[in-house]
Amino acid sequence: MTVPLAERASGEPTGTVSEQVCAAVLARARRELSPSQFDMWFAQLAPGELGGDALELLVPSAYVKSWLLAHHLALITESARQVLGPSARIRLRAARVERVGDGSGDGVERGGRRKSMPVPEDQASLDDALGEGASAFPSRYTFDTFIPGPSNKFAHAAALAVAEAPPSKAYNPVFVYGGVGLGKTHLLFAIANHMTALQPRTRARYVTSESFMTEFIKAVRERRGYQFQRQYRDVDVLLLDDVQFLGRAEETQTEFFHTFNHLHQHERQIVIASDRPPQELGGIEERLRSRFRSGLVVDVQPPDLETRIAILQLKALRDALEVPDDVLHFIASKFEQNIRELEGALLRVHAFASVTRQQVDLALAERALEDLIPDLGQEIPPAAILEETAEYFGLGPGDLVSKSRSRPLTTARHVAMYLLRELTGLSLIKIGELFERDHTTALHGIKKIEGLMPARGSTYKQVQELTKKIRARGRGDR
Ligand code: ADP
Ligand code: MG
């Protein structure tokens, strides 16, 4: 439902709207945060009044207010906008309040909240948002959750500069490049989240070059070229991810070239992420590559040990996983090249402890990660994952892709999706495509396995055994 805020007179009582917004924020916070975090920061949130063009939410103290602003602003604005529409503005006010409305929900959804709950539909489409008119971006990718270190400090600083002072003429475009799983997409979303938090009217658009291409081709076919152009030109900031895939499509490149020029001339910010530097973008015309080089080009490198430990600490904290420091240190020392794998390793250790009902300690972590540690520079071809998974589950080559929804097939498919996500650099779109499905289906499958691993020994075992086989195959052990 959308209530046009602007049409309401200032000061008019807005009990219901305000309560709805409050309830939406609480529901989302309860879904995304651990119970202890929720209790600490959100339990006392209360609906306030409408003043000017902003809706107030009441918080118990100035301290809570500043914490929420610093850490959960995206969560709050996004959920409020789902009730009020994309341009709504929210203000937090510190005030003593009696508990109003529901908002308590004590006990409900708490015990098994993390991961074991199915992903709600809206969450699925937000995550790795494809820019389909979405004004909200996945809220877990912010600057608060990004650990800066020597390996990414320039990219981090550039991203922050762009996010705080758009349009920054000196840095336009910003071109970030680096290997798989090193935080490029995270930074793009962090920029979008930060800008829309600071200035809710900012029109930010995130798109992968693959989606840009697909949408463009579709628009041409359906004679909606003009609408397509407006979608990408009437924005304040355009975040183009995985630009290396633009290489194959000439006409899309031309369209992007004009989009780029239009935005640049109008001093709109452009940020591009790539797996390689501009000069190595094979298949991309020189005039585009030179545009990419014309701003600020920064790289991200694999993080050093200290940064990796800090990333794991933050991940453990956010997911409320109790993992001792020496274990975090151990994991960080073994997974060096890809932060997604690093985080995946932490989840596996937690899952192993959970399914075997043991404490997490060093010995357990060593066992959980035995034979899983990647070799330097080992690249896993997606086809190997598909083949091994099919073989492991006793399926034929076409079964994983088939439309059948029988239980064993679905499980095998979800496991394959999970492994593709953790072990390769494929985007959700690409993973979906491998199964002739869309990215939300891929995300759903991945979340499903993340949730099942700590809960069900059989799933944990399947994922572990398969990973070992896949890694061994990559090493040529068989
Ligand atoms: P890329 O786009 O470079 O392949 P992503 O942005 O998808 O990588 O990052 C992979 C995972 O690692 C994400 O879960 C992201 O949140 C996390 N990550 C990457 N860099 C950092 C960092 N510096 N601090 C915290 N998390 C990070
Ligand atoms: Mg990425």
Side-chain angles (χ1 to χ4, degrees), residues 373-395:
I373 318 253
D375 298 340
L376 199 67
Q378 183 186 30
E379 259 192 45
I380 298 191
I385 296 182
L386 294 175
E387 279 166 33
E388 291 291 340
T389 310
E391 188 190 311
Y392 181 88
F393 286 98
L395 304 172

mmCIF file with all atom_site columns, all heavy atoms in Angstrom, residues 373-395:
data_model
loop_
_atom_site.group_PDB
_atom_site.id
_atom_site.type_symbol
_atom_site.label_atom_id
_atom_site.label_alt_id
_atom_site.label_comp_id
_atom_site.label_asym_id
_atom_site.label_entity_id
_atom_site.label_seq_id
_atom_site.pdbx_PDB_ins_code
_atom_site.Cartn_x
_atom_site.Cartn_y
_atom_site.Cartn_z
_atom_site.occupancy
_atom_site.B_iso_or_equiv
_atom_site.pdbx_formal_charge
_atom_site.auth_seq_id
_atom_site.auth_comp_id
_atom_site.auth_asym_id
_atom_site.auth_atom_id
_atom_site.pdbx_PDB_model_num
ATOM 1   N N   . ILE A 1 373 ? 40.090 -26.680 2.167   1.00 0.00 ? 373 ILE A N   1
ATOM 2   C CA  . ILE A 1 373 ? 40.899 -25.470 2.019   1.00 0.00 ? 373 ILE A CA  1
ATOM 3   C C   . ILE A 1 373 ? 41.321 -25.339 0.565   1.00 0.00 ? 373 ILE A C   1
ATOM 4   O O   . ILE A 1 373 ? 41.888 -26.265 -0.001  1.00 0.00 ? 373 ILE A O   1
ATOM 5   C CB  . ILE A 1 373 ? 42.148 -25.576 2.919   1.00 0.00 ? 373 ILE A CB  1
ATOM 6   C CG1 . ILE A 1 373 ? 41.720 -26.152 4.259   1.00 0.00 ? 373 ILE A CG1 1
ATOM 7   C CG2 . ILE A 1 373 ? 42.909 -24.275 2.944   1.00 0.00 ? 373 ILE A CG2 1
ATOM 8   C CD1 . ILE A 1 373 ? 41.657 -25.352 5.428   1.00 0.00 ? 373 ILE A CD1 1
ATOM 9   N N   . PRO A 1 374 ? 41.011 -24.197 -0.036  1.00 0.00 ? 374 PRO A N   1
ATOM 10  C CA  . PRO A 1 374 ? 41.322 -24.058 -1.460  1.00 0.00 ? 374 PRO A CA  1
ATOM 11  C C   . PRO A 1 374 ? 42.821 -23.970 -1.708  1.00 0.00 ? 374 PRO A C   1
ATOM 12  O O   . PRO A 1 374 ? 43.556 -23.443 -0.884  1.00 0.00 ? 374 PRO A O   1
ATOM 13  C CB  . PRO A 1 374 ? 40.646 -22.737 -1.831  1.00 0.00 ? 374 PRO A CB  1
ATOM 14  C CG  . PRO A 1 374 ? 40.437 -22.015 -0.544  1.00 0.00 ? 374 PRO A CG  1
ATOM 15  C CD  . PRO A 1 374 ? 40.390 -23.024 0.542   1.00 0.00 ? 374 PRO A CD  1
ATOM 16  N N   . ASP A 1 375 ? 43.252 -24.489 -2.829  1.00 0.00 ? 375 ASP A N   1
ATOM 17  C CA  . ASP A 1 375 ? 44.639 -24.293 -3.232  1.00 0.00 ? 375 ASP A CA  1
ATOM 18  C C   . ASP A 1 375 ? 44.750 -22.927 -3.866  1.00 0.00 ? 375 ASP A C   1
ATOM 19  O O   . ASP A 1 375 ? 43.797 -22.422 -4.440  1.00 0.00 ? 375 ASP A O   1
ATOM 20  C CB  . ASP A 1 375 ? 45.048 -25.341 -4.269  1.00 0.00 ? 375 ASP A CB  1
ATOM 21  C CG  . ASP A 1 375 ? 44.965 -26.731 -3.699  1.00 0.00 ? 375 ASP A CG  1
ATOM 22  O OD1 . ASP A 1 375 ? 44.981 -26.844 -2.463  1.00 0.00 ? 375 ASP A OD1 1
ATOM 23  O OD2 . ASP A 1 375 ? 44.855 -27.687 -4.486  1.00 0.00 ? 375 ASP A OD2 1
ATOM 24  N N   . LEU A 1 376 ? 45.930 -22.390 -3.771  1.00 0.00 ? 376 LEU A N   1
ATOM 25  C CA  . LEU A 1 376 ? 46.149 -21.065 -4.327  1.00 0.00 ? 376 LEU A CA  1
ATOM 26  C C   . LEU A 1 376 ? 45.821 -21.079 -5.819  1.00 0.00 ? 376 LEU A C   1
ATOM 27  O O   . LEU A 1 376 ? 46.285 -21.941 -6.558  1.00 0.00 ? 376 LEU A O   1
ATOM 28  C CB  . LEU A 1 376 ? 47.607 -20.676 -4.106  1.00 0.00 ? 376 LEU A CB  1
ATOM 29  C CG  . LEU A 1 376 ? 47.861 -19.178 -4.203  1.00 0.00 ? 376 LEU A CG  1
ATOM 30  C CD1 . LEU A 1 376 ? 47.180 -18.457 -3.050  1.00 0.00 ? 376 LEU A CD1 1
ATOM 31  C CD2 . LEU A 1 376 ? 49.344 -18.906 -4.204  1.00 0.00 ? 376 LEU A CD2 1
ATOM 32  N N   . GLY A 1 377 ? 45.004 -20.137 -6.210  1.00 0.00 ? 377 GLY A N   1
ATOM 33  C CA  . GLY A 1 377 ? 44.741 -19.993 -7.642  1.00 0.00 ? 377 GLY A CA  1
ATOM 34  C C   . GLY A 1 377 ? 43.844 -21.075 -8.241  1.00 0.00 ? 377 GLY A C   1
ATOM 35  O O   . GLY A 1 377 ? 43.646 -21.116 -9.442  1.00 0.00 ? 377 GLY A O   1
ATOM 36  N N   . GLN A 1 378 ? 43.320 -21.953 -7.394  1.00 0.00 ? 378 GLN A N   1
ATOM 37  C CA  . GLN A 1 378 ? 42.440 -22.990 -7.939  1.00 0.00 ? 378 GLN A CA  1
ATOM 38  C C   . GLN A 1 378 ? 41.128 -22.364 -8.388  1.00 0.00 ? 378 GLN A C   1
ATOM 39  O O   . GLN A 1 378 ? 40.456 -21.701 -7.616  1.00 0.00 ? 378 GLN A O   1
ATOM 40  C CB  . GLN A 1 378 ? 42.152 -24.050 -6.863  1.00 0.00 ? 378 GLN A CB  1
ATOM 41  C CG  . GLN A 1 378 ? 41.304 -25.186 -7.382  1.00 0.00 ? 378 GLN A CG  1
ATOM 42  C CD  . GLN A 1 378 ? 40.912 -26.161 -6.271  1.00 0.00 ? 378 GLN A CD  1
ATOM 43  O OE1 . GLN A 1 378 ? 40.765 -25.799 -5.115  1.00 0.00 ? 378 GLN A OE1 1
ATOM 44  N NE2 . GLN A 1 378 ? 40.748 -27.410 -6.648  1.00 0.00 ? 378 GLN A NE2 1
ATOM 45  N N   . GLU A 1 379 ? 40.796 -22.586 -9.629  1.00 0.00 ? 379 GLU A N   1
ATOM 46  C CA  . GLU A 1 379 ? 39.518 -22.070 -10.113 1.00 0.00 ? 379 GLU A CA  1
ATOM 47  C C   . GLU A 1 379 ? 38.606 -23.231 -10.405 1.00 0.00 ? 379 GLU A C   1
ATOM 48  O O   . GLU A 1 379 ? 39.015 -24.209 -11.034 1.00 0.00 ? 379 GLU A O   1
ATOM 49  C CB  . GLU A 1 379 ? 39.722 -21.250 -11.386 1.00 0.00 ? 379 GLU A CB  1
ATOM 50  C CG  . GLU A 1 379 ? 39.698 -19.768 -11.089 1.00 0.00 ? 379 GLU A CG  1
ATOM 51  C CD  . GLU A 1 379 ? 39.603 -18.950 -12.356 1.00 0.00 ? 379 GLU A CD  1
ATOM 52  O OE1 . GLU A 1 379 ? 38.787 -19.292 -13.232 1.00 0.00 ? 379 GLU A OE1 1
ATOM 53  O OE2 . GLU A 1 379 ? 40.366 -17.967 -12.461 1.00 0.00 ? 379 GLU A OE2 1
ATOM 54  N N   . ILE A 1 380 ? 37.396 -23.143 -9.942  1.00 0.00 ? 380 ILE A N   1
ATOM 55  C CA  . ILE A 1 380 ? 36.491 -24.271 -10.118 1.00 0.00 ? 380 ILE A CA  1
ATOM 56  C C   . ILE A 1 380 ? 35.510 -23.973 -11.243 1.00 0.00 ? 380 ILE A C   1
ATOM 57  O O   . ILE A 1 380 ? 34.756 -23.017 -11.161 1.00 0.00 ? 380 ILE A O   1
ATOM 58  C CB  . ILE A 1 380 ? 35.764 -24.554 -8.799  1.00 0.00 ? 380 ILE A CB  1
ATOM 59  C CG1 . ILE A 1 380 ? 36.836 -24.937 -7.786  1.00 0.00 ? 380 ILE A CG1 1
ATOM 60  C CG2 . ILE A 1 380 ? 34.719 -25.640 -8.978  1.00 0.00 ? 380 ILE A CG2 1
ATOM 61  C CD1 . ILE A 1 380 ? 36.338 -25.485 -6.520  1.00 0.00 ? 380 ILE A CD1 1
ATOM 62  N N   . PRO A 1 381 ? 35.537 -24.771 -12.299 1.00 0.00 ? 381 PRO A N   1
ATOM 63  C CA  . PRO A 1 381 ? 34.595 -24.518 -13.387 1.00 0.00 ? 381 PRO A CA  1
ATOM 64  C C   . PRO A 1 381 ? 33.185 -24.916 -12.970 1.00 0.00 ? 381 PRO A C   1
ATOM 65  O O   . PRO A 1 381 ? 33.008 -25.983 -12.363 1.00 0.00 ? 381 PRO A O   1
ATOM 66  C CB  . PRO A 1 381 ? 35.093 -25.422 -14.523 1.00 0.00 ? 381 PRO A CB  1
ATOM 67  C CG  . PRO A 1 381 ? 36.153 -26.293 -13.956 1.00 0.00 ? 381 PRO A CG  1
ATOM 68  C CD  . PRO A 1 381 ? 36.411 -25.925 -12.539 1.00 0.00 ? 381 PRO A CD  1
ATOM 69  N N   . PRO A 1 382 ? 32.199 -24.079 -13.274 1.00 0.00 ? 382 PRO A N   1
ATOM 70  C CA  . PRO A 1 382 ? 30.812 -24.392 -12.903 1.00 0.00 ? 382 PRO A CA  1
ATOM 71  C C   . PRO A 1 382 ? 30.391 -25.786 -13.383 1.00 0.00 ? 382 PRO A C   1
ATOM 72  O O   . PRO A 1 382 ? 29.686 -26.500 -12.669 1.00 0.00 ? 382 PRO A O   1
ATOM 73  C CB  . PRO A 1 382 ? 30.012 -23.309 -13.620 1.00 0.00 ? 382 PRO A CB  1
ATOM 74  C CG  . PRO A 1 382 ? 30.955 -22.166 -13.756 1.00 0.00 ? 382 PRO A CG  1
ATOM 75  C CD  . PRO A 1 382 ? 32.323 -22.766 -13.884 1.00 0.00 ? 382 PRO A CD  1
ATOM 76  N N   . ALA A 1 383 ? 30.860 -26.176 -14.581 1.00 0.00 ? 383 ALA A N   1
ATOM 77  C CA  . ALA A 1 383 ? 30.451 -27.483 -15.104 1.00 0.00 ? 383 ALA A CA  1
ATOM 78  C C   . ALA A 1 383 ? 30.872 -28.606 -14.161 1.00 0.00 ? 383 ALA A C   1
ATOM 79  O O   . ALA A 1 383 ? 30.161 -29.599 -13.999 1.00 0.00 ? 383 ALA A O   1
ATOM 80  C CB  . ALA A 1 383 ? 31.049 -27.697 -16.493 1.00 0.00 ? 383 ALA A CB  1
ATOM 81  N N   . ALA A 1 384 ? 32.034 -28.437 -13.511 1.00 0.00 ? 384 ALA A N   1
ATOM 82  C CA  . ALA A 1 384 ? 32.501 -29.482 -12.599 1.00 0.00 ? 384 ALA A CA  1
ATOM 83  C C   . ALA A 1 384 ? 31.534 -29.628 -11.426 1.00 0.00 ? 384 ALA A C   1
ATOM 84  O O   . ALA A 1 384 ? 31.258 -30.734 -10.958 1.00 0.00 ? 384 ALA A O   1
ATOM 85  C CB  . ALA A 1 384 ? 33.902 -29.142 -12.097 1.00 0.00 ? 384 ALA A CB  1
ATOM 86  N N   . ILE A 1 385 ? 31.013 -28.520 -10.958 1.00 0.00 ? 385 ILE A N   1
ATOM 87  C CA  . ILE A 1 385 ? 30.067 -28.571 -9.838  1.00 0.00 ? 385 ILE A CA  1
ATOM 88  C C   . ILE A 1 385 ? 28.784 -29.273 -10.258 1.00 0.00 ? 385 ILE A C   1
ATOM 89  O O   . ILE A 1 385 ? 28.271 -30.141 -9.546  1.00 0.00 ? 385 ILE A O   1
ATOM 90  C CB  . ILE A 1 385 ? 29.775 -27.150 -9.323  1.00 0.00 ? 385 ILE A CB  1
ATOM 91  C CG1 . ILE A 1 385 ? 31.064 -26.546 -8.754  1.00 0.00 ? 385 ILE A CG1 1
ATOM 92  C CG2 . ILE A 1 385 ? 28.643 -27.162 -8.288  1.00 0.00 ? 385 ILE A CG2 1
ATOM 93  C CD1 . ILE A 1 385 ? 30.919 -25.174 -8.161  1.00 0.00 ? 385 ILE A CD1 1
ATOM 94  N N   . LEU A 1 386 ? 28.316 -28.932 -11.441 1.00 0.00 ? 386 LEU A N   1
ATOM 95  C CA  . LEU A 1 386 ? 27.078 -29.563 -11.921 1.00 0.00 ? 386 LEU A CA  1
ATOM 96  C C   . LEU A 1 386 ? 27.272 -31.067 -12.100 1.00 0.00 ? 386 LEU A C   1
ATOM 97  O O   . LEU A 1 386 ? 26.444 -31.874 -11.677 1.00 0.00 ? 386 LEU A O   1
ATOM 98  C CB  . LEU A 1 386 ? 26.640 -28.921 -13.244 1.00 0.00 ? 386 LEU A CB  1
ATOM 99  C CG  . LEU A 1 386 ? 26.210 -27.451 -13.125 1.00 0.00 ? 386 LEU A CG  1
ATOM 100 C CD1 . LEU A 1 386 ? 25.920 -26.861 -14.498 1.00 0.00 ? 386 LEU A CD1 1
ATOM 101 C CD2 . LEU A 1 386 ? 24.972 -27.325 -12.231 1.00 0.00 ? 386 LEU A CD2 1
ATOM 102 N N   . GLU A 1 387 ? 28.391 -31.429 -12.707 1.00 0.00 ? 387 GLU A N   1
ATOM 103 C CA  . GLU A 1 387 ? 28.629 -32.857 -12.955 1.00 0.00 ? 387 GLU A CA  1
ATOM 104 C C   . GLU A 1 387 ? 28.767 -33.632 -11.656 1.00 0.00 ? 387 GLU A C   1
ATOM 105 O O   . GLU A 1 387 ? 28.138 -34.678 -11.465 1.00 0.00 ? 387 GLU A O   1
ATOM 106 C CB  . GLU A 1 387 ? 29.922 -33.038 -13.766 1.00 0.00 ? 387 GLU A CB  1
ATOM 107 C CG  . GLU A 1 387 ? 29.732 -32.808 -15.254 1.00 0.00 ? 387 GLU A CG  1
ATOM 108 C CD  . GLU A 1 387 ? 31.079 -32.665 -15.962 1.00 0.00 ? 387 GLU A CD  1
ATOM 109 O OE1 . GLU A 1 387 ? 32.070 -33.327 -15.528 1.00 0.00 ? 387 GLU A OE1 1
ATOM 110 O OE2 . GLU A 1 387 ? 31.140 -31.888 -16.931 1.00 0.00 ? 387 GLU A OE2 1
ATOM 111 N N   . GLU A 1 388 ? 29.586 -33.106 -10.758 1.00 0.00 ? 388 GLU A N   1
ATOM 112 C CA  . GLU A 1 388 ? 29.800 -33.824 -9.498  1.00 0.00 ? 388 GLU A CA  1
ATOM 113 C C   . GLU A 1 388 ? 28.506 -33.934 -8.699  1.00 0.00 ? 388 GLU A C   1
ATOM 114 O O   . GLU A 1 388 ? 28.237 -34.953 -8.072  1.00 0.00 ? 388 GLU A O   1
ATOM 115 C CB  . GLU A 1 388 ? 30.876 -33.125 -8.651  1.00 0.00 ? 388 GLU A CB  1
ATOM 116 C CG  . GLU A 1 388 ? 32.292 -33.218 -9.217  1.00 0.00 ? 388 GLU A CG  1
ATOM 117 C CD  . GLU A 1 388 ? 32.888 -34.634 -9.155  1.00 0.00 ? 388 GLU A CD  1
ATOM 118 O OE1 . GLU A 1 388 ? 32.392 -35.464 -8.365  1.00 0.00 ? 388 GLU A OE1 1
ATOM 119 O OE2 . GLU A 1 388 ? 33.829 -34.905 -9.923  1.00 0.00 ? 388 GLU A OE2 1
ATOM 120 N N   . THR A 1 389 ? 27.737 -32.872 -8.712  1.00 0.00 ? 389 THR A N   1
ATOM 121 C CA  . THR A 1 389 ? 26.490 -32.902 -7.934  1.00 0.00 ? 389 THR A CA  1
ATOM 122 C C   . THR A 1 389 ? 25.533 -33.936 -8.507  1.00 0.00 ? 389 THR A C   1
ATOM 123 O O   . THR A 1 389 ? 24.951 -34.739 -7.767  1.00 0.00 ? 389 THR A O   1
ATOM 124 C CB  . THR A 1 389 ? 25.819 -31.516 -7.929  1.00 0.00 ? 389 THR A CB  1
ATOM 125 O OG1 . THR A 1 389 ? 26.786 -30.535 -7.555  1.00 0.00 ? 389 THR A OG1 1
ATOM 126 C CG2 . THR A 1 389 ? 24.659 -31.472 -6.940  1.00 0.00 ? 389 THR A CG2 1
ATOM 127 N N   . ALA A 1 390 ? 25.390 -33.924 -9.833  1.00 0.00 ? 390 ALA A N   1
ATOM 128 C CA  . ALA A 1 390 ? 24.492 -34.902 -10.464 1.00 0.00 ? 390 ALA A CA  1
ATOM 129 C C   . ALA A 1 390 ? 24.957 -36.318 -10.134 1.00 0.00 ? 390 ALA A C   1
ATOM 130 O O   . ALA A 1 390 ? 24.171 -37.168 -9.699  1.00 0.00 ? 390 ALA A O   1
ATOM 131 C CB  . ALA A 1 390 ? 24.460 -34.682 -11.972 1.00 0.00 ? 390 ALA A CB  1
ATOM 132 N N   . GLU A 1 391 ? 26.254 -36.541 -10.262 1.00 0.00 ? 391 GLU A N   1
ATOM 133 C CA  . GLU A 1 391 ? 26.774 -37.886 -10.010 1.00 0.00 ? 391 GLU A CA  1
ATOM 134 C C   . GLU A 1 391 ? 26.558 -38.283 -8.542  1.00 0.00 ? 391 GLU A C   1
ATOM 135 O O   . GLU A 1 391 ? 26.102 -39.383 -8.241  1.00 0.00 ? 391 GLU A O   1
ATOM 136 C CB  . GLU A 1 391 ? 28.257 -37.927 -10.355 1.00 0.00 ? 391 GLU A CB  1
ATOM 137 C CG  . GLU A 1 391 ? 28.833 -39.336 -10.318 1.00 0.00 ? 391 GLU A CG  1
ATOM 138 C CD  . GLU A 1 391 ? 30.356 -39.325 -10.429 1.00 0.00 ? 391 GLU A CD  1
ATOM 139 O OE1 . GLU A 1 391 ? 30.877 -38.649 -11.340 1.00 0.00 ? 391 GLU A OE1 1
ATOM 140 O OE2 . GLU A 1 391 ? 31.018 -39.982 -9.591  1.00 0.00 ? 391 GLU A OE2 1
ATOM 141 N N   . TYR A 1 392 ? 26.833 -37.359 -7.661  1.00 0.00 ? 392 TYR A N   1
ATOM 142 C CA  . TYR A 1 392 ? 26.701 -37.642 -6.224  1.00 0.00 ? 392 TYR A CA  1
ATOM 143 C C   . TYR A 1 392 ? 25.281 -38.062 -5.865  1.00 0.00 ? 392 TYR A C   1
ATOM 144 O O   . TYR A 1 392 ? 25.052 -38.957 -5.074  1.00 0.00 ? 392 TYR A O   1
ATOM 145 C CB  . TYR A 1 392 ? 27.109 -36.390 -5.443  1.00 0.00 ? 392 TYR A CB  1
ATOM 146 C CG  . TYR A 1 392 ? 27.036 -36.535 -3.941  1.00 0.00 ? 392 TYR A CG  1
ATOM 147 C CD1 . TYR A 1 392 ? 28.126 -37.017 -3.216  1.00 0.00 ? 392 TYR A CD1 1
ATOM 148 C CD2 . TYR A 1 392 ? 25.891 -36.166 -3.240  1.00 0.00 ? 392 TYR A CD2 1
ATOM 149 C CE1 . TYR A 1 392 ? 28.073 -37.145 -1.845  1.00 0.00 ? 392 TYR A CE1 1
ATOM 150 C CE2 . TYR A 1 392 ? 25.830 -36.288 -1.868  1.00 0.00 ? 392 TYR A CE2 1
ATOM 151 C CZ  . TYR A 1 392 ? 26.922 -36.772 -1.169  1.00 0.00 ? 392 TYR A CZ  1
ATOM 152 O OH  . TYR A 1 392 ? 26.860 -36.895 0.196   1.00 0.00 ? 392 TYR A OH  1
ATOM 153 N N   . PHE A 1 393 ? 24.318 -37.403 -6.478  1.00 0.00 ? 393 PHE A N   1
ATOM 154 C CA  . PHE A 1 393 ? 22.926 -37.730 -6.169  1.00 0.00 ? 393 PHE A CA  1
ATOM 155 C C   . PHE A 1 393 ? 22.352 -38.797 -7.104  1.00 0.00 ? 393 PHE A C   1
ATOM 156 O O   . PHE A 1 393 ? 21.149 -39.055 -7.089  1.00 0.00 ? 393 PHE A O   1
ATOM 157 C CB  . PHE A 1 393 ? 22.053 -36.466 -6.234  1.00 0.00 ? 393 PHE A CB  1
ATOM 158 C CG  . PHE A 1 393 ? 22.257 -35.533 -5.071  1.00 0.00 ? 393 PHE A CG  1
ATOM 159 C CD1 . PHE A 1 393 ? 23.088 -34.432 -5.184  1.00 0.00 ? 393 PHE A CD1 1
ATOM 160 C CD2 . PHE A 1 393 ? 21.627 -35.756 -3.854  1.00 0.00 ? 393 PHE A CD2 1
ATOM 161 C CE1 . PHE A 1 393 ? 23.285 -33.567 -4.105  1.00 0.00 ? 393 PHE A CE1 1
ATOM 162 C CE2 . PHE A 1 393 ? 21.812 -34.903 -2.768  1.00 0.00 ? 393 PHE A CE2 1
ATOM 163 C CZ  . PHE A 1 393 ? 22.641 -33.805 -2.895  1.00 0.00 ? 393 PHE A CZ  1
ATOM 164 N N   . GLY A 1 394 ? 23.220 -39.356 -7.931  1.00 0.00 ? 394 GLY A N   1
ATOM 165 C CA  . GLY A 1 394 ? 22.779 -40.409 -8.837  1.00 0.00 ? 394 GLY A CA  1
ATOM 166 C C   . GLY A 1 394 ? 21.821 -39.936 -9.927  1.00 0.00 ? 394 GLY A C   1
ATOM 167 O O   . GLY A 1 394 ? 20.876 -40.623 -10.276 1.00 0.00 ? 394 GLY A O   1
ATOM 168 N N   . LEU A 1 395 ? 22.077 -38.756 -10.429 1.00 0.00 ? 395 LEU A N   1
ATOM 169 C CA  . LEU A 1 395 ? 21.168 -38.193 -11.436 1.00 0.00 ? 395 LEU A CA  1
ATOM 170 C C   . LEU A 1 395 ? 21.836 -38.157 -12.808 1.00 0.00 ? 395 LEU A C   1
ATOM 171 O O   . LEU A 1 395 ? 23.060 -38.161 -12.906 1.00 0.00 ? 395 LEU A O   1
ATOM 172 C CB  . LEU A 1 395 ? 20.783 -36.766 -11.053 1.00 0.00 ? 395 LEU A CB  1
ATOM 173 C CG  . LEU A 1 395 ? 20.159 -36.588 -9.671  1.00 0.00 ? 395 LEU A CG  1
ATOM 174 C CD1 . LEU A 1 395 ? 20.010 -35.115 -9.357  1.00 0.00 ? 395 LEU A CD1 1
ATOM 175 C CD2 . LEU A 1 395 ? 18.806 -37.283 -9.627  1.00 0.00 ? 395 LEU A CD2 1
#
